[in-house]
Amino acid sequence: MADTHLTAPSRFVEVDGERFAYRRWGDSGSAQPPLFFLQHFRGGMDHWDPLMTDGLAAGREVILYDYRGCASSTGAPRMLIEDMADDAAKVVRTLGLSQVDVVGFSLGGMVAQDLTRRHPDLVRKLMLLGTQPRGGNPDPDMRIFEVAPRPAPTVDDFLFLFFGPSDAAKQAGRDFWKRRHQREDQDPPSSPELMQAQIAANTAFVTPLDPEKPFAHLGEINQPTLIVNGVNDVMIATINSWHMVQNIPNAQLIVYPDAGHGAQFQYPERFLKHAAQFLDE
């Protein structure tokens, strides 16, 4: 029986003396490269939506991954996005892959941009979800600094951070919450040390490389890029997606209505259609 999001075993690959956790399943006979997932702040392999991962696995292999020191992976957490990107490149190469498609969500989207800029030979196509460019202004709702660091986020925390304000959006969020807790053998929660390291990495990332041309570096990303966000992202202001689509040469932007930071989780069927079309065309 083929593996799914709920059954794919956690595996480990050793890089620089540390063990990186990953799960891999899907259509191994596809002509497309595997789709490599980079997760949000504090998130691990079980913070993805099974509808999203299994839906995409129908046309290609998918690989979920825990950063250094995150959940099931060992090592001291990285404090710079570029180091997290280099780790990801080493893991991809250690898995014997010459090329992948990459999807990065939130902090994972920052890692995905640096992975693509620093290791362009490894990335065929790029999807950036609810994220920002280096040097961007996240301009968040100040309440996130109370909610996001909580040791054990509740469903109401996720509804505020990831979903739109309407009743329909909140119901979509509760449906997502149920889906993402279906797997029995889940990753352990991330540590306080990982949280602090990722806060430091995010803080460093918002400093522009060139204050006079803060987004010029995005011109180095020549891969086809799909950018997706909600119309009202309280974590990373939606305007950052516009900055990216203006400065990445081969990018397109989709903004979902009545949605926030996790628009792809609020509209999973719609996102799957958009993602599959982008990856297949």
Side-chain angles (χ1 to χ4, degrees):
M1 186 173 179
D3 283 325
T4 68
H5 182 103
L6 302 184
T7 63
S10 295
R11 303 175 183 177
F12 297 88
V13 60
E14 185 169 323
V15 174
D16 295 338
E18 303 296 349
R19 281 163 40 97
F20 288 80
Y22 73 98
R23 297 177 189 152
R24 181 175 181 177
W25 76 98
D27 183 2
S28 59
S30 172
Q32 295 190 18
L35 183 58
F36 194 74
F37 286 70
L38 296 165
Q39 188 55 288
H40 62 69
F41 173 67
R42 299 175 64 193
M45 294 184 288
D46 291 308
H47 288 81
W48 294 107
D49 188 339
L51 282 181
M52 175 181 178
T53 56
D54 284 336
L56 290 167
R60 63 204 48 82
E61 282 191 293
V62 299
I63 301 174
L64 310 187
Y65 159 75
D66 282 340
Y67 303 113
R68 182 187 295 257
C70 174
S72 296
S73 292
T74 66
R78 296 295 201 184
M79 299 181 68
L80 291 173
I81 294 294
E82 51 265 44
D83 291 338
M84 297 169 73
D86 289 347
D87 277 345
K90 290 179 180 179
V91 167
V92 169
R93 292 191 173 105
T94 303
L95 290 174
L97 300 170
S98 59
Q99 195 173 56
V100 290
D101 291 332
V102 176
V103 55
F105 174 37
S106 192
L107 178 137
M110 305 173 202
V111 179
Q113 291 171 64
D114 270 13
L115 172 61
T116 306
R117 291 177 56 238
R118 295 167 70 86
H119 306 275
D121 59 307
L122 282 184
V123 180
R124 184 191 72 139
K125 291 188 177 184
L126 178 63
M127 288 195 285
L128 301 174
L129 316 178
T131 192
Q132 67 180 10
R134 184 178 287 275
N137 177 11
D139 192 23
D141 184 313
M142 297 305 292
R143 187 182 162 202
I144 75 162
F145 298 107
E146 170 193 351
V147 175
R150 285 177 181 162
T154 66
V155 62
D156 288 334
D157 293 337
F158 264 77
L159 293 179
F160 165 68
L161 294 171
F162 288 84
F163 294 87
S166 73
D167 289 342
K170 292 183 182 301
Q171 185 57 53
R174 294 186 187 95
D175 293 342
F176 161 76
W177 183 261
K178 291 178 182 177
R179 293 193 300 271
R180 67 139 293 208
H181 285 93
Q182 288 176 334
R183 185 178 171 110
E184 293 183 2
D185 58 329
Q186 297 222 344
D187 256 351
S190 59
S191 67
E193 291 77 17
L194 177 96
M195 179 176 68
Q196 293 303 320
Q198 290 190 345
I199 289 173
N202 183 79
T203 300
F205 191 79
V206 300
T207 301
L209 295 175
D210 181 350
E212 295 186 2
K213 298 179 180 178
F215 306 129
H217 65 282
L218 294 176
E220 300 169 17
I221 299 176
N222 294 303
Q223 288 81 349
T225 302
L226 175 65
I227 303 165
V228 176
N229 208 339
V231 70
N232 183 27
D233 187 337
V234 301
M235 295 275 281
I236 298 173
T238 306
I239 190 64
N240 287 278
S241 294
W242 179 246
H243 293 320
M244 290 189 296
V245 79
Q246 283 186 307
N247 289 279
I248 297 174
N250 192 9
Q252 56 186 309
L253 169 63
I254 302 175
V255 177
Y256 291 166
D258 183 35
H261 191 58
Q264 70 278 0
F265 301 148
Q266 184 171 327
Y267 294 97
E269 292 88 358
R270 184 182 299 189
F271 173 77
L272 272 178
K273 291 178 181 178
H274 288 148
Q277 179 182 1
F278 168 72
L279 293 170
D280 292 343
E281 68 184 9

